[in-house]
Amino acid sequence: MENETVIGCAIETIRQRIGAACERAGRSADEVRLLPASKTQPASALLEAYRVGITRFGENRVQEVVAKAAELESTTIEFAVIGHLQSNKASKVAELACEFQALDSLKLAQRLERHLADLDKTLEVMIEVNSSAEESKFGLDPADVVDFARELEVFEHLRPIGLMTLAKPSSDPAVVGACFDRIRRLRDDLNSRQIGSHDWPELSMGMSNDFELAIEHGSTCVRVGSAIFGQRS
Ligand SMILES: *Cc1c(COP(=O)(O)O)cnc(C)c1O
């Protein structure tokens, strides 16, 4: 292999594990995309991943997206923002991101819409859902998701594609799996009731410690950080 860097090899391993998890779940490997979560990593680390075919990265902080977008300008790398966003940072996300996975308020949707309209641009969005109740402070209560999803229909520059969640951090797969199942049922409900008059294909669930379980529960996008880039300092 041409690019035998530590990060390149780690990505190959994760791809194999995704493939094996898909096979166990009776799913096709192309139903699941790997979104490396590159927060705190330098642009050079993203370049190592880029050399083995990764073009989209998940980032949490807007400042890091601004810096990395500038450093990596000569590549085709693009950014998905996957972390909670304050509405005063909406303009940078509208400008620099191709996808935003942590939509959790109408105010933020309005701000994004306004900036996107100015830029004449659309943004793929996922609604972040709090599947673990007490553990996470971000994301909508599952009970509020259908109404919220309906309200997004008026925003012409937002393209809602699915739901995102962080499972409860637990070593018990039954507990983690129950979080994933709850969000999957909610997504299936959006589809069967045709909320927003479009499909909701995506379920962003699973991180380094639980992505295989998430795939068994229907994930279409796994956000993997430390298993690719090593532990964050
Ligand atoms: C950091 C982060 C991840 C990746 O976490 P790892 O445990 O390092 O794989 C996934 N999703 C979000 C929202 C994150 O902030």
Side-chain angles (χ1 to χ4, degrees):
M1 207 171 99
E2 220 179 297
N3 280 293
E4 288 185 339
T5 63
V6 173
I7 289 170
C9 290
I11 287 171
E12 195 43 47
T13 302
I14 299 296
R15 283 175 170 149
Q16 283 166 9
R17 288 172 61 187
I18 289 172
C22 285
E23 204 167 301
R24 285 195 300 277
R27 303 180 61 196
S28 156
D30 59 20
E31 288 175 39
V32 180
R33 64 179 162 128
L34 169 60
L35 181 67
S38 48
K39 59 172 175 270
T40 78
Q41 301 300 327
S44 59
L46 280 68
L47 274 178
E48 280 186 33
Y50 181 67
R51 287 191 198 106
V52 295
I54 302 287
T55 54
R56 188 176 292 196
F57 293 85
E59 287 282 348
N60 291 63
R61 286 189 205 83
V62 175
Q63 277 94 322
E64 277 192 63
V65 176
V66 172
K68 288 175 196 176
E71 276 187 85
L72 298 165
E73 203 177 17
S74 63
T75 69
T76 59
I77 285 174
E78 50 187 15
F79 296 96
V81 172
I82 59 176
H84 179 74
L85 183 68
Q86 290 168 315
S87 46
N88 61 4
K89 304 253 173 69
S91 71
K92 283 290 170 203
V93 170
E95 186 189 334
L96 296 172
C98 59
E99 175 178 2
F100 175 54
Q101 295 196 354
L103 187 61
D104 62 357
S105 81
L106 215 50
K107 183 176 165 192
L108 182 53
Q110 284 158 350
R111 292 268 179 109
L112 286 167
E113 170 65 23
R114 182 151 48 81
H115 294 294
L116 289 162
D118 287 346
L119 296 162
D120 194 22
K121 205 186 141 183
T122 59
L123 180 69
E124 294 185 337
V125 295
M126 294 195 204
I127 300 170
E128 181 172 358
V129 188
N130 184 348
S131 58
S132 66
E134 70 278 17
E135 302 281 345
S136 164
K137 49 187 188 297
F138 298 126
L140 290 183
D141 188 309
D144 298 330
V145 169
V146 170
D147 284 343
F148 183 76
R150 236 184 231 121
E151 290 182 298
L152 296 181
E153 206 174 352
V154 299
F155 301 117
E156 289 178 9
H157 299 81
L158 297 184
R159 209 154 73 71
I161 55 171
L163 304 180
M164 184 272 254
T165 200
L166 277 80
K168 198 174 207 160
S170 164
S171 55
D172 181 354
V175 171
V176 177
C179 291
F180 293 147
D181 263 350
R182 192 171 306 138
I183 305 312
R184 183 202 186 140
R185 284 198 305 270
L186 200 49
R187 192 280 312 261
D188 291 347
D189 196 32
L190 294 175
N191 275 331
S192 61
R193 293 165 67 181
Q194 296 191 299
I195 303 295
S197 316
H198 58 81
D199 284 341
W200 298 81
E202 294 256 19
L203 271 177
S204 177
M205 348 190 264
M207 316 199 293
S208 291
N209 289 331
D210 56 16
F211 72 89
E212 286 147 317
L213 187 63
I215 288 169
E216 287 169 31
H217 289 275
S219 175
T220 64
C221 174
V222 293
R223 310 176 309 270
V224 180
S226 49
I228 291 173
F229 299 107
Q231 289 301 324
R232 288 178 292 273
S233 49

